[in-house]
Amino acid sequence: MQCSRCDNTDPRYFYRGTRGLYCRRCIKFGDVKLPEISSKIVDSEYQLKFELTERQKEVSARLTEMVSQGRSVLLEAVCGAGKTEIIFEMVSDQLKRGRKVGFTIARRQVVLEIAERLSRAFTNLSVIPVCQGHTDVTMADLVVCTTHQLFRYNDYFDVLIIDEPDAFPFKGDDTLKGIARHACHGSTVYLTATPDEQLKNRADDGELGYLYLSKRPHGFPLCVPETFYGNRLLLLIRGVIWMIREIKQERKVLIFVPRKRTGELFRRILGLFVSCNNIDSNSEEKDGIIQNFREGKFKVLFSTNILERGVTFSNVQVLVYKADSGVFDEASLVQISGRVGRDVRYPEGDCLFLAESRRESIDGCINGIRRANSD
């Protein structure tokens, strides 16, 4: 037996009830039937506020060609390389052919941001985010959803773009991966700065086409994190000094912490002296907190790794407290440091890792960034 929705073959998860056979591994996602919608050609012209670099244009054209041939593709691009904008040509081409295109991301905050960016570019299309708090409407010319919401789209998409497939909670969740496979009967495009070994092997074996972009549009190198090692007291002193220096230079400071309670504790203490806030998976009004930080209504934001990917802040500097924690693996640290220098107006910045001991994850992150800068 094999579940037609999540690919489960473990007999322990199958149950035969009065209405037939159930897969208990994915039944929690519900059973949603979308209305049958025939393919249609839409006005998929798009507008960018900036011109792609020559290398971006090359990658975009090659991606469009590969997908038009029915191939699935791994697009590896360093943080801030503009991989979302690179796919626009391919998306437009597929929609002109009457094909259904979906964009899926593991985290809700990034879904909302990507949907907004697509709406601004594809002004003639209906673009909807489908995620927690946004499930009243599930059909549009372009669907942007969390990976959990893909259960609504079984065998629906001709092309599915999976952004950051190595991100939690998609990473390591066989149920979500099975649902993603069954959501698309055509080409799948994987976008990431930190592909895992499985994706790399599939590309090496020729199962996936492979494209690589190692430079950001503004041409400046990626920020190489500075590291500081010491006991917990020294880390706190070094972090506070660093933070005060950045604030005095009128910069925003994004501080990643390994635990929710750590961020809230820091907010309460430092909030007596500087304007700051804290965000984690339990925070209410996450969108408001993020927007207020963008607008500079407070200078310091403490965060768990909920903001490690996808979200862009202008003129932000990054600090990672206890970067040697098991919460932060190499890919996570690469993504976190990639928050720095993304804006063409502020292409440079600082990133500081505070740790009590050396870890392969820290060394691997720094060495990987240096390699990308030398490409």
Side-chain angles (χ1 to χ4, degrees), residues 74-122:
L74 167 59
L75 171 53
E76 180 182 355
V78 299
C79 296
K83 62 182 182 294
T84 302
E85 286 71 23
I86 288 171
I87 69 166
F88 284 3
E89 181 183 351
M90 180 274 292
V91 170
S92 176
D93 177 72
Q94 290 298 303
L95 291 172
K96 286 176 181 176
R97 297 170 187 261
R99 294 173 180 165
K100 300 172 187 173
V101 180
F103 201 121
T104 188
I105 310 125
R107 296 184 177 176
R108 176 183 179 276
Q109 283 72 29
V110 187
V111 165
L112 297 175
E113 180 163 318
I114 293 296
E116 176 62 27
R117 288 163 67 181
L118 288 170
S119 295
R120 290 197 301 265
F122 292 90

Side-chain angles (χ1 to χ4, degrees), residues 121-324:
F122 292 90
T123 55
N124 297 320
L125 298 182
S126 60
V127 182
I128 57 163
V130 181
C131 56
Q132 181 183 12
H134 297 78
T135 56
D136 292 337
V137 180
T138 58
M139 306 296 292
D141 297 322
L142 264 177
V143 174
V144 188
C145 66
T146 55
T147 50
H148 279 83
Q149 295 293 335
L150 281 174
F151 80 92
R152 300 176 182 275
Y153 302 95
N154 191 47
D155 197 32
Y156 181 79
F157 297 112
D158 298 292
V159 178
L160 181 62
I161 302 150
I162 303 181
D163 195 10
E164 307 294 1
D166 55 308
F168 177 84
F170 188 75
K171 178 181 179 181
D173 191 319
D174 291 336
T175 301
L176 287 178
K177 289 180 179 180
I179 289 173
R181 280 193 295 270
H182 285 282
C184 178
H185 49 251
S187 301
T188 302
V189 178
Y190 300 93
L191 308 178
T192 181
T194 49
D196 58 25
E197 288 303 315
Q198 185 181 44
L199 283 174
K200 291 178 182 178
N201 291 337
R202 290 176 65 190
D204 291 341
D205 293 341
E207 181 184 346
L208 297 176
Y210 179 71
L211 296 169
Y212 179 59
L213 185 59
S214 64
K215 293 288 184 276
R216 289 175 164 178
H218 52 54
F220 284 75
L222 300 169
C223 171
V224 179
E226 175 191 355
T227 55
F228 179 86
Y229 294 97
N231 60 40
R232 193 168 301 183
L233 178 59
L234 287 176
L235 297 187
L236 291 172
I237 294 172
R238 180 71 177 89
V240 169
I241 293 173
W242 184 91
M243 180 190 69
I244 292 173
R245 183 193 70 187
E246 300 297 335
I247 292 174
K248 285 184 176 179
Q249 297 181 56
E250 296 299 319
R251 294 170 164 179
K252 301 185 187 77
V253 178
L254 181 57
I255 300 178
F256 286 89
V257 294
R259 294 180 178 84
K260 299 174 185 177
R261 61 185 181 186
T262 304
E264 183 58 25
L265 176 63
F266 285 175
R267 182 197 67 80
R268 290 181 181 181
I269 296 173
L270 292 176
L272 300 173
F273 309 98
V274 298
S275 60
C276 63
N277 209 330
N278 176 58
I279 188 170
D280 57 51
S281 59
N282 293 332
S283 299
E284 298 181 0
E285 301 296 332
K286 296 184 186 69
D287 302 333
I289 293 173
I290 291 171
Q291 187 59 34
N292 287 338
F293 185 56
R294 282 201 176 102
E295 295 173 359
K297 293 183 179 178
F298 49 88
K299 294 296 184 182
V300 179
L301 179 60
F302 297 98
S303 174
T304 57
N305 56 10
I306 189 175
L307 295 184
E308 74 177 32
R309 298 167 184 259
V311 182
T312 297
F313 299 106
S314 178
N315 196 25
V316 71
Q317 319 305 308
V318 169
L319 182 148
V320 184
Y321 174 70
K322 298 197 70 173
D324 52 334

Side-chain angles (χ1 to χ4, degrees), residues 40-55:
K40 64 176 182 177
I41 297 174
V42 296
D43 183 358
S44 59
E45 294 299 322
Y46 63 92
Q47 298 177 339
L48 286 176
K49 293 183 178 180
F50 56 89
E51 185 176 359
L52 297 181
T53 66
E54 290 305 313
R55 178 56 182 156

